[in-house]
Amino acid sequence: MAIDEFDRRILAVLQRDATLPVARVAELAGMSATPCWRRIQKLEQSGVIRKRVALLDRAKLNVGVTVFIAIRTSQHNAEWLERFRRVIADIPEIVDFHRMSGEIDYLLRAVVPDIAAYDGVYKRLIAGIDLTDVTSMFAMEELKSTTEVPLGYAGGKEEQGS
């Protein structure tokens, strides 16, 4: 799907607040409501907008501790990876799961109330699958965290960096 300047404006507004009425999104994007609504529908149908969610305050929900978990494994086959995916899917505290290049094979991010709760996550993780090395790093302070993706690259190479 080709992304133009109006789409980028709409996406920028929705990334900040997806609860705004279409008329307000249109106003902030510099267009009228009906074409804006059509564009939003097209962005949703094409999968550019995957879903709309509420961002929750982790500290107020007693999961204010962030743990990054670096995993190394000697297993590099599809069957093992599928088993690992299932293990991770069954641990709700793990909120991000990435396959990496370099010395670390997988990087996970978990949110928990404290170290004792993380120990429970760790025990479920190692009980579910064989791992070569697990290194846990606790975030001391969150300096930046956003769900907003940069929109300057959307629309093709000719528009990158603008």
Side-chain angles (χ1 to χ4, degrees), residues 64-126:
V65 175
T66 299
V67 187
F68 294 93
I69 309 158
I71 304 276
R72 287 189 319 135
T73 181
S74 59
Q75 299 291 315
H76 298 281
N77 60 70
E79 180 184 314
W80 182 90
L81 177 56
E82 187 51 39
R83 240 184 32 233
F84 190 33
R85 285 180 204 251
R86 286 193 306 268
V87 168
I88 298 303
D90 287 340
I91 303 175
E93 294 90 344
I94 297 175
V95 295
D96 287 317
F97 176 28
H98 301 274
R99 188 167 56 88
M100 307 296 288
S101 65
E103 293 184 28
I104 300 300
D105 295 311
Y106 299 92
L107 184 63
L108 315 175
R109 183 172 65 92
V111 294
V112 293
D114 51 35
I115 292 173
Y118 171 68
D119 189 47
V121 170
Y122 172 80
K123 288 175 181 173
R124 282 182 279 158
L125 182 62
I126 63 170

Short mmCIF file of all heavy atoms in Angstrom, two decimals, residues 64-126:
data_model
loop_
_atom_site.label_atom_id
_atom_site.label_comp_id
_atom_site.label_asym_id
_atom_site.label_seq_id
_atom_site.Cartn_x
_atom_site.Cartn_y
_atom_site.Cartn_z
N GLY A 64 5.82 -3.09 37.62
CA GLY A 64 6.69 -1.98 37.28
C GLY A 64 8.16 -2.33 37.06
O GLY A 64 8.95 -1.47 36.70
N VAL A 65 8.53 -3.59 37.28
CA VAL A 65 9.92 -4.01 37.08
C VAL A 65 10.04 -4.61 35.68
O VAL A 65 9.31 -5.54 35.32
CB VAL A 65 10.35 -5.03 38.15
CG1 VAL A 65 11.76 -5.56 37.87
CG2 VAL A 65 10.27 -4.41 39.54
N THR A 66 10.98 -4.07 34.90
CA THR A 66 11.24 -4.58 33.55
C THR A 66 12.52 -5.41 33.57
O THR A 66 13.54 -4.97 34.09
CB THR A 66 11.40 -3.42 32.55
OG1 THR A 66 10.19 -2.66 32.53
CG2 THR A 66 11.70 -3.93 31.15
N VAL A 67 12.43 -6.61 32.98
CA VAL A 67 13.57 -7.51 32.91
C VAL A 67 13.83 -7.85 31.45
O VAL A 67 12.91 -8.25 30.73
CB VAL A 67 13.31 -8.82 33.69
CG1 VAL A 67 14.58 -9.67 33.75
CG2 VAL A 67 12.75 -8.56 35.06
N PHE A 68 15.08 -7.68 31.03
CA PHE A 68 15.49 -8.13 29.71
C PHE A 68 16.19 -9.46 29.90
O PHE A 68 17.05 -9.61 30.78
CB PHE A 68 16.42 -7.11 29.05
CG PHE A 68 15.72 -5.82 28.74
CD1 PHE A 68 15.74 -4.76 29.64
CD2 PHE A 68 15.00 -5.67 27.56
CE1 PHE A 68 15.06 -3.59 29.37
CE2 PHE A 68 14.32 -4.50 27.29
CZ PHE A 68 14.35 -3.45 28.19
N ILE A 69 15.81 -10.44 29.10
CA ILE A 69 16.33 -11.80 29.25
C ILE A 69 17.02 -12.19 27.95
O ILE A 69 16.37 -12.30 26.91
CB ILE A 69 15.19 -12.79 29.57
CG1 ILE A 69 14.35 -12.27 30.75
CG2 ILE A 69 15.75 -14.18 29.83
CD1 ILE A 69 12.96 -12.86 30.82
N ALA A 70 18.34 -12.35 28.02
CA ALA A 70 19.13 -12.74 26.86
C ALA A 70 19.28 -14.26 26.88
O ALA A 70 19.71 -14.83 27.89
CB ALA A 70 20.48 -12.06 26.88
N ILE A 71 18.93 -14.90 25.78
CA ILE A 71 18.93 -16.36 25.69
C ILE A 71 19.92 -16.81 24.62
O ILE A 71 19.93 -16.27 23.52
CB ILE A 71 17.53 -16.88 25.26
CG1 ILE A 71 16.44 -16.39 26.21
CG2 ILE A 71 17.53 -18.38 25.07
CD1 ILE A 71 16.23 -17.19 27.44
N ARG A 72 20.72 -17.80 24.98
CA ARG A 72 21.54 -18.48 23.99
C ARG A 72 21.13 -19.95 24.00
O ARG A 72 20.81 -20.49 25.06
CB ARG A 72 23.04 -18.35 24.31
CG ARG A 72 23.55 -16.96 24.03
CD ARG A 72 25.05 -16.81 24.12
NE ARG A 72 25.61 -17.54 25.24
CZ ARG A 72 26.70 -18.29 25.18
NH1 ARG A 72 27.38 -18.41 24.06
NH2 ARG A 72 27.16 -18.91 26.24
N THR A 73 21.14 -20.55 22.82
CA THR A 73 20.78 -21.96 22.71
C THR A 73 21.70 -22.64 21.71
O THR A 73 22.24 -21.99 20.82
CB THR A 73 19.31 -22.13 22.28
OG1 THR A 73 19.01 -23.52 22.21
CG2 THR A 73 19.03 -21.50 20.93
N SER A 74 21.83 -23.94 21.86
CA SER A 74 22.58 -24.71 20.87
C SER A 74 21.63 -25.33 19.85
O SER A 74 22.05 -25.98 18.91
CB SER A 74 23.39 -25.82 21.57
OG SER A 74 22.51 -26.68 22.28
N GLN A 75 20.34 -25.11 20.05
CA GLN A 75 19.31 -25.64 19.15
C GLN A 75 18.94 -24.59 18.10
O GLN A 75 18.52 -23.49 18.47
CB GLN A 75 18.06 -26.03 19.93
CG GLN A 75 18.29 -27.09 20.97
CD GLN A 75 18.59 -28.43 20.34
OE1 GLN A 75 17.92 -28.84 19.39
NE2 GLN A 75 19.61 -29.10 20.83
N HIS A 76 19.08 -24.94 16.85
CA HIS A 76 18.73 -24.00 15.77
C HIS A 76 17.95 -24.75 14.70
O HIS A 76 18.38 -24.86 13.56
CB HIS A 76 20.00 -23.36 15.20
CG HIS A 76 20.75 -22.55 16.22
ND1 HIS A 76 20.36 -21.28 16.58
CD2 HIS A 76 21.82 -22.85 16.99
CE1 HIS A 76 21.17 -20.82 17.51
NE2 HIS A 76 22.07 -21.75 17.78
N ASN A 77 16.79 -25.25 15.09
CA ASN A 77 15.94 -25.96 14.14
C ASN A 77 14.49 -25.54 14.35
O ASN A 77 14.12 -25.01 15.40
CB ASN A 77 16.12 -27.48 14.27
CG ASN A 77 15.76 -27.99 15.65
OD1 ASN A 77 14.58 -28.00 16.02
ND2 ASN A 77 16.76 -28.41 16.43
N ALA A 78 13.67 -25.77 13.34
CA ALA A 78 12.28 -25.31 13.34
C ALA A 78 11.45 -25.94 14.45
O ALA A 78 10.62 -25.27 15.07
CB ALA A 78 11.64 -25.58 11.98
N GLU A 79 11.68 -27.21 14.73
CA GLU A 79 10.90 -27.90 15.77
C GLU A 79 11.18 -27.29 17.14
O GLU A 79 10.25 -27.00 17.91
CB GLU A 79 11.26 -29.38 15.79
CG GLU A 79 10.50 -30.17 16.84
CD GLU A 79 10.95 -31.62 16.88
OE1 GLU A 79 11.06 -32.24 15.80
OE2 GLU A 79 11.18 -32.13 18.00
N TRP A 80 12.45 -27.04 17.45
CA TRP A 80 12.81 -26.43 18.73
C TRP A 80 12.21 -25.03 18.84
O TRP A 80 11.65 -24.66 19.86
CB TRP A 80 14.34 -26.38 18.89
CG TRP A 80 14.74 -25.82 20.23
CD1 TRP A 80 14.96 -26.51 21.37
CD2 TRP A 80 14.93 -24.43 20.55
NE1 TRP A 80 15.28 -25.64 22.40
CE2 TRP A 80 15.27 -24.36 21.92
CE3 TRP A 80 14.86 -23.25 19.82
CZ2 TRP A 80 15.53 -23.16 22.57
CZ3 TRP A 80 15.12 -22.06 20.47
CH2 TRP A 80 15.45 -22.01 21.83
N LEU A 81 12.34 -24.24 17.76
CA LEU A 81 11.81 -22.88 17.78
C LEU A 81 10.30 -22.87 18.01
O LEU A 81 9.80 -22.06 18.77
CB LEU A 81 12.16 -22.14 16.48
CG LEU A 81 11.61 -20.72 16.36
CD1 LEU A 81 12.06 -19.84 17.52
CD2 LEU A 81 12.04 -20.10 15.03
N GLU A 82 9.58 -23.78 17.39
CA GLU A 82 8.13 -23.84 17.60
C GLU A 82 7.81 -24.18 19.04
O GLU A 82 6.90 -23.61 19.64
CB GLU A 82 7.49 -24.84 16.64
CG GLU A 82 5.97 -24.82 16.67
CD GLU A 82 5.36 -23.42 16.52
OE1 GLU A 82 5.87 -22.60 15.71
OE2 GLU A 82 4.36 -23.14 17.21
N ARG A 83 8.55 -25.11 19.63
CA ARG A 83 8.36 -25.45 21.05
C ARG A 83 8.65 -24.23 21.93
O ARG A 83 7.92 -23.94 22.87
CB ARG A 83 9.29 -26.62 21.43
CG ARG A 83 8.55 -27.81 21.92
CD ARG A 83 9.39 -28.98 22.40
NE ARG A 83 10.65 -28.62 22.99
CZ ARG A 83 11.83 -29.11 22.62
NH1 ARG A 83 11.92 -29.97 21.65
NH2 ARG A 83 12.95 -28.73 23.23
N PHE A 84 9.72 -23.51 21.60
CA PHE A 84 10.09 -22.31 22.36
C PHE A 84 9.00 -21.26 22.26
O PHE A 84 8.62 -20.64 23.26
CB PHE A 84 11.43 -21.79 21.84
CG PHE A 84 12.06 -20.70 22.67
CD1 PHE A 84 11.93 -20.65 24.05
CD2 PHE A 84 12.83 -19.72 22.07
CE1 PHE A 84 12.53 -19.66 24.81
CE2 PHE A 84 13.44 -18.73 22.81
CZ PHE A 84 13.28 -18.69 24.19
N ARG A 85 8.45 -21.05 21.07
CA ARG A 85 7.34 -20.10 20.89
C ARG A 85 6.16 -20.45 21.80
O ARG A 85 5.54 -19.57 22.38
CB ARG A 85 6.86 -20.08 19.44
CG ARG A 85 7.75 -19.38 18.48
CD ARG A 85 7.12 -19.46 17.08
NE ARG A 85 8.10 -19.33 16.05
CZ ARG A 85 8.22 -18.27 15.26
NH1 ARG A 85 7.39 -17.26 15.39
NH2 ARG A 85 9.14 -18.23 14.34
N ARG A 86 5.84 -21.74 21.87
CA ARG A 86 4.71 -22.17 22.72
C ARG A 86 5.00 -21.90 24.19
O ARG A 86 4.12 -21.47 24.93
CB ARG A 86 4.39 -23.64 22.47
CG ARG A 86 3.69 -23.88 21.13
CD ARG A 86 3.09 -25.28 21.03
NE ARG A 86 4.05 -26.34 21.29
CZ ARG A 86 4.79 -26.96 20.36
NH1 ARG A 86 4.67 -26.61 19.09
NH2 ARG A 86 5.61 -27.92 20.69
N VAL A 87 6.24 -22.16 24.62
CA VAL A 87 6.61 -21.88 26.01
C VAL A 87 6.44 -20.40 26.31
O VAL A 87 5.83 -20.01 27.31
CB VAL A 87 8.06 -22.35 26.30
CG1 VAL A 87 8.55 -21.80 27.64
CG2 VAL A 87 8.16 -23.86 26.26
N ILE A 88 6.96 -19.56 25.43
CA ILE A 88 6.88 -18.10 25.62
C ILE A 88 5.42 -17.64 25.61
O ILE A 88 5.02 -16.80 26.42
CB ILE A 88 7.69 -17.35 24.54
CG1 ILE A 88 9.18 -17.71 24.63
CG2 ILE A 88 7.47 -15.85 24.63
CD1 ILE A 88 9.84 -17.44 25.95
N ALA A 89 4.61 -18.19 24.72
CA ALA A 89 3.19 -17.80 24.65
C ALA A 89 2.45 -18.08 25.95
O ALA A 89 1.49 -17.38 26.28
CB ALA A 89 2.51 -18.53 23.49
N ASP A 90 2.91 -19.07 26.71
CA ASP A 90 2.24 -19.44 27.96
C ASP A 90 2.75 -18.66 29.17
O ASP A 90 2.37 -18.97 30.30
CB ASP A 90 2.41 -20.94 28.21
CG ASP A 90 1.54 -21.78 27.27
OD1 ASP A 90 0.56 -21.23 26.72
OD2 ASP A 90 1.84 -22.97 27.10
N ILE A 91 3.64 -17.70 28.95
CA ILE A 91 4.17 -16.90 30.06
C ILE A 91 3.75 -15.44 29.82
O ILE A 91 4.41 -14.71 29.09
CB ILE A 91 5.71 -17.03 30.17
CG1 ILE A 91 6.11 -18.50 30.33
CG2 ILE A 91 6.23 -16.18 31.33
CD1 ILE A 91 7.62 -18.74 30.32
N PRO A 92 2.64 -15.00 30.42
CA PRO A 92 2.11 -13.67 30.12
C PRO A 92 3.03 -12.52 30.54
O PRO A 92 2.95 -11.43 29.98
CB PRO A 92 0.79 -13.61 30.88
CG PRO A 92 0.89 -14.67 31.92
CD PRO A 92 1.81 -15.73 31.38
N GLU A 93 3.92 -12.76 31.48
CA GLU A 93 4.84 -11.71 31.90
C GLU A 93 5.83 -11.34 30.79
O GLU A 93 6.39 -10.25 30.80
CB GLU A 93 5.63 -12.15 33.15
CG GLU A 93 4.78 -12.32 34.38
CD GLU A 93 4.20 -13.74 34.54
OE1 GLU A 93 4.20 -14.52 33.56
OE2 GLU A 93 3.74 -14.05 35.64
N ILE A 94 6.07 -12.25 29.85
CA ILE A 94 6.97 -11.96 28.72
C ILE A 94 6.16 -11.21 27.67
O ILE A 94 5.24 -11.76 27.07
CB ILE A 94 7.61 -13.23 28.16
CG1 ILE A 94 8.48 -13.88 29.24
CG2 ILE A 94 8.43 -12.90 26.90
CD1 ILE A 94 9.08 -15.22 28.86
N VAL A 95 6.51 -9.95 27.47
CA VAL A 95 5.72 -9.08 26.59
C VAL A 95 6.40 -8.82 25.24
O VAL A 95 5.74 -8.35 24.31
CB VAL A 95 5.38 -7.74 27.29
CG1 VAL A 95 4.45 -7.99 28.47
CG2 VAL A 95 6.62 -7.00 27.73
N ASP A 96 7.69 -9.11 25.11
CA ASP A 96 8.41 -8.99 23.83
C ASP A 96 9.29 -10.21 23.66
O ASP A 96 9.88 -10.70 24.64
CB ASP A 96 9.30 -7.73 23.79
CG ASP A 96 8.51 -6.45 23.65
OD1 ASP A 96 7.56 -6.41 22.85
OD2 ASP A 96 8.85 -5.48 24.35
N PHE A 97 9.43 -10.66 22.41
CA PHE A 97 10.18 -11.88 22.11
C PHE A 97 10.82 -11.67 20.74
O PHE A 97 10.11 -11.56 19.74
CB PHE A 97 9.21 -13.06 22.11
CG PHE A 97 9.75 -14.40 21.72
CD1 PHE A 97 11.07 -14.74 21.91
CD2 PHE A 97 8.90 -15.34 21.17
CE1 PHE A 97 11.54 -16.00 21.56
CE2 PHE A 97 9.34 -16.60 20.83
CZ PHE A 97 10.67 -16.94 21.01
N HIS A 98 12.15 -11.58 20.70
CA HIS A 98 12.86 -11.28 19.45
C HIS A 98 13.95 -12.31 19.19
O HIS A 98 14.69 -12.69 20.10
CB HIS A 98 13.53 -9.90 19.52
CG HIS A 98 12.58 -8.79 19.76
ND1 HIS A 98 11.92 -8.16 18.75
CD2 HIS A 98 12.18 -8.19 20.91
CE1 HIS A 98 11.14 -7.22 19.27
NE2 HIS A 98 11.29 -7.22 20.57
N ARG A 99 14.08 -12.74 17.93
CA ARG A 99 15.23 -13.54 17.49
C ARG A 99 16.28 -12.56 17.05
O ARG A 99 16.00 -11.63 16.30
CB ARG A 99 14.83 -14.47 16.34
CG ARG A 99 15.92 -15.46 15.96
CD ARG A 99 15.41 -16.56 15.05
NE ARG A 99 14.77 -16.06 13.86
CZ ARG A 99 15.41 -15.79 12.72
NH1 ARG A 99 16.71 -15.97 12.63
NH2 ARG A 99 14.74 -15.35 11.67
N MET A 100 17.51 -12.75 17.51
CA MET A 100 18.56 -11.76 17.32
C MET A 100 19.68 -12.27 16.41
O MET A 100 19.82 -13.47 16.21
CB MET A 100 19.18 -11.40 18.69
CG MET A 100 18.19 -10.98 19.75
SD MET A 100 17.32 -9.47 19.36
CE MET A 100 18.63 -8.29 19.57
N SER A 101 20.47 -11.34 15.91
CA SER A 101 21.73 -11.69 15.27
C SER A 101 22.82 -11.50 16.32
O SER A 101 22.60 -10.86 17.35
CB SER A 101 21.99 -10.78 14.06
OG SER A 101 22.17 -9.45 14.48
N GLY A 102 23.98 -12.05 16.08
CA GLY A 102 25.08 -11.85 17.03
C GLY A 102 25.17 -12.95 18.06
O GLY A 102 24.70 -14.07 17.84
N GLU A 103 25.76 -12.64 19.20
CA GLU A 103 26.04 -13.65 20.23
C GLU A 103 24.80 -14.12 20.99
O GLU A 103 24.78 -15.21 21.54
CB GLU A 103 27.06 -13.10 21.23
CG GLU A 103 28.43 -12.91 20.61
CD GLU A 103 29.46 -12.46 21.62
OE1 GLU A 103 29.30 -12.80 22.82
OE2 GLU A 103 30.40 -11.78 21.21
N ILE A 104 23.78 -13.29 21.05
CA ILE A 104 22.54 -13.65 21.73
C ILE A 104 21.56 -14.17 20.68
O ILE A 104 21.37 -13.54 19.64
CB ILE A 104 21.93 -12.41 22.45
CG1 ILE A 104 22.91 -11.85 23.48
CG2 ILE A 104 20.59 -12.73 23.07
CD1 ILE A 104 23.29 -12.82 24.57
N ASP A 105 20.92 -15.30 20.96
CA ASP A 105 19.97 -15.87 20.00
C ASP A 105 18.58 -15.24 20.11
O ASP A 105 17.94 -14.98 19.10
CB ASP A 105 19.87 -17.39 20.20
CG ASP A 105 21.17 -18.10 19.89
OD1 ASP A 105 21.75 -17.83 18.81
OD2 ASP A 105 21.63 -18.90 20.73
N TYR A 106 18.13 -15.00 21.35
CA TYR A 106 16.80 -14.44 21.58
C TYR A 106 16.88 -13.40 22.69
O TYR A 106 17.62 -13.57 23.66
CB TYR A 106 15.79 -15.54 21.98
CG TYR A 106 15.66 -16.57 20.89
CD1 TYR A 106 16.45 -17.71 20.90
CD2 TYR A 106 14.78 -16.38 19.84
CE1 TYR A 106 16.37 -18.64 19.88
CE2 TYR A 106 14.69 -17.31 18.81
CZ TYR A 106 15.49 -18.43 18.84
OH TYR A 106 15.41 -19.35 17.82
N LEU A 107 16.09 -12.36 22.56
CA LEU A 107 15.99 -11.35 23.60
C LEU A 107 14.52 -11.21 23.97
O LEU A 107 13.67 -10.99 23.10
CB LEU A 107 16.54 -10.00 23.13
CG LEU A 107 16.57 -8.90 24.18
CD1 LEU A 107 17.50 -9.27 25.34
CD2 LEU A 107 17.01 -7.58 23.56
N LEU A 108 14.25 -11.35 25.26
CA LEU A 108 12.88 -11.26 25.77
C LEU A 108 12.79 -10.05 26.68
O LEU A 108 13.79 -9.64 27.28
CB LEU A 108 12.53 -12.51 26.58
CG LEU A 108 12.92 -13.87 26.01
CD1 LEU A 108 12.60 -14.96 27.01
CD2 LEU A 108 12.21 -14.12 24.71
N ARG A 109 11.60 -9.51 26.79
CA ARG A 109 11.33 -8.46 27.77
C ARG A 109 10.15 -8.93 28.59
O ARG A 109 9.11 -9.31 28.05
CB ARG A 109 11.02 -7.12 27.12
CG ARG A 109 10.80 -5.99 28.14
CD ARG A 109 10.68 -4.62 27.50
NE ARG A 109 9.52 -4.51 26.65
CZ ARG A 109 8.32 -4.07 27.05
NH1 ARG A 109 8.12 -3.67 28.29
NH2 ARG A 109 7.32 -4.00 26.19
N ALA A 110 10.34 -8.89 29.91
CA ALA A 110 9.27 -9.30 30.81
C ALA A 110 8.97 -8.15 31.76
O ALA A 110 9.82 -7.33 32.05
CB ALA A 110 9.69 -10.54 31.61
N VAL A 111 7.74 -8.10 32.24
CA VAL A 111 7.35 -7.14 33.27
C VAL A 111 6.78 -7.93 34.45
O VAL A 111 5.95 -8.82 34.29
CB VAL A 111 6.34 -6.08 32.75
CG1 VAL A 111 7.01 -5.20 31.71
CG2 VAL A 111 5.10 -6.71 32.17
N VAL A 112 7.29 -7.59 35.64
CA VAL A 112 6.94 -8.31 36.87
C VAL A 112 6.90 -7.33 38.03
O VAL A 112 7.41 -6.22 37.92
CB VAL A 112 7.98 -9.42 37.16
CG1 VAL A 112 7.93 -10.53 36.13
CG2 VAL A 112 9.38 -8.85 37.27
N PRO A 113 6.33 -7.74 39.17
CA PRO A 113 6.31 -6.85 40.32
C PRO A 113 7.66 -6.77 41.05
O PRO A 113 7.98 -5.73 41.62
CB PRO A 113 5.25 -7.44 41.25
CG PRO A 113 4.79 -8.69 40.65
CD PRO A 113 5.44 -8.88 39.32
N ASP A 114 8.42 -7.87 41.03
CA ASP A 114 9.67 -7.89 41.81
C ASP A 114 10.55 -9.06 41.37
O ASP A 114 10.16 -9.85 40.50
CB ASP A 114 9.36 -7.98 43.31
CG ASP A 114 8.41 -9.11 43.66
OD1 ASP A 114 8.47 -10.18 43.02
OD2 ASP A 114 7.59 -8.92 44.58
N ILE A 115 11.70 -9.19 42.01
CA ILE A 115 12.66 -10.24 41.65
C ILE A 115 12.07 -11.62 41.93
O ILE A 115 12.28 -12.56 41.15
CB ILE A 115 14.00 -10.03 42.38
CG1 ILE A 115 14.67 -8.76 41.84
CG2 ILE A 115 14.92 -11.23 42.21
CD1 ILE A 115 15.93 -8.34 42.57
N ALA A 116 11.34 -11.77 43.01
CA ALA A 116 10.73 -13.07 43.31
C ALA A 116 9.77 -13.50 42.21
O ALA A 116 9.74 -14.68 41.81
CB ALA A 116 10.01 -13.01 44.66
N ALA A 117 9.00 -12.58 41.69
CA ALA A 117 8.08 -12.91 40.60
C ALA A 117 8.87 -13.27 39.35
O ALA A 117 8.50 -14.20 38.62
CB ALA A 117 7.15 -11.73 40.32
N TYR A 118 9.97 -12.56 39.10
CA TYR A 118 10.81 -12.92 37.95
C TYR A 118 11.38 -14.33 38.12
O TYR A 118 11.46 -15.09 37.16
CB TYR A 118 11.95 -11.93 37.71
CG TYR A 118 12.88 -12.51 36.68
CD1 TYR A 118 12.43 -12.64 35.35
CD2 TYR A 118 14.13 -13.00 37.01
CE1 TYR A 118 13.23 -13.24 34.40
CE2 TYR A 118 14.93 -13.59 36.06
CZ TYR A 118 14.48 -13.72 34.75
OH TYR A 118 15.26 -14.33 33.81
N ASP A 119 11.75 -14.70 39.35
CA ASP A 119 12.27 -16.05 39.58
C ASP A 119 11.25 -17.10 39.15
O ASP A 119 11.60 -18.12 38.57
CB ASP A 119 12.66 -16.22 41.05
CG ASP A 119 13.41 -17.52 41.28
OD1 ASP A 119 14.35 -17.83 40.51
OD2 ASP A 119 13.05 -18.24 42.24
N GLY A 120 9.97 -16.83 39.39
CA GLY A 120 8.92 -17.73 38.93
C GLY A 120 8.86 -17.81 37.42
O GLY A 120 8.68 -18.89 36.83
N VAL A 121 9.03 -16.67 36.75
CA VAL A 121 9.06 -16.65 35.28
C VAL A 121 10.25 -17.47 34.79
O VAL A 121 10.12 -18.30 33.89
CB VAL A 121 9.15 -15.19 34.75
CG1 VAL A 121 9.45 -15.16 33.26
CG2 VAL A 121 7.88 -14.43 35.08
N TYR A 122 11.40 -17.24 35.39
CA TYR A 122 12.62 -17.96 35.02
C TYR A 122 12.42 -19.47 35.16
O TYR A 122 12.78 -20.24 34.27
CB TYR A 122 13.78 -17.48 35.89
CG TYR A 122 15.04 -18.29 35.73
CD1 TYR A 122 15.89 -18.08 34.64
CD2 TYR A 122 15.38 -19.27 36.65
CE1 TYR A 122 17.04 -18.83 34.48
CE2 TYR A 122 16.52 -20.03 36.50
CZ TYR A 122 17.35 -19.81 35.42
OH TYR A 122 18.48 -20.56 35.27
N LYS A 123 11.84 -19.89 36.27
CA LYS A 123 11.64 -21.32 36.51
C LYS A 123 10.68 -21.93 35.49
O LYS A 123 10.89 -23.05 35.02
CB LYS A 123 11.15 -21.57 37.94
CG LYS A 123 12.25 -21.34 38.96
CD LYS A 123 11.74 -21.46 40.37
CE LYS A 123 12.88 -21.21 41.36
NZ LYS A 123 12.39 -21.15 42.75
N ARG A 124 9.63 -21.19 35.11
CA ARG A 124 8.71 -21.70 34.08
C ARG A 124 9.42 -21.78 32.73
O ARG A 124 9.21 -22.72 31.97
CB ARG A 124 7.47 -20.79 33.96
CG ARG A 124 6.46 -21.04 35.08
CD ARG A 124 5.23 -20.17 34.91
NE ARG A 124 5.57 -18.85 35.45
CZ ARG A 124 4.96 -17.73 35.14
NH1 ARG A 124 3.97 -17.71 34.27
NH2 ARG A 124 5.33 -16.59 35.69
N LEU A 125 10.26 -20.80 32.45
CA LEU A 125 10.99 -20.76 31.20
C LEU A 125 11.92 -21.97 31.08
O LEU A 125 11.88 -22.71 30.10
CB LEU A 125 11.78 -19.46 31.10
CG LEU A 125 12.60 -19.20 29.84
CD1 LEU A 125 11.70 -19.14 28.63
CD2 LEU A 125 13.38 -17.90 30.00
N ILE A 126 12.75 -22.20 32.08
CA ILE A 126 13.72 -23.31 31.98
C ILE A 126 13.07 -24.68 32.13
O ILE A 126 13.60 -25.68 31.67
CB ILE A 126 14.90 -23.15 32.96
CG1 ILE A 126 14.43 -23.19 34.41
CG2 ILE A 126 15.68 -21.87 32.64
CD1 ILE A 126 15.57 -23.27 35.43
#
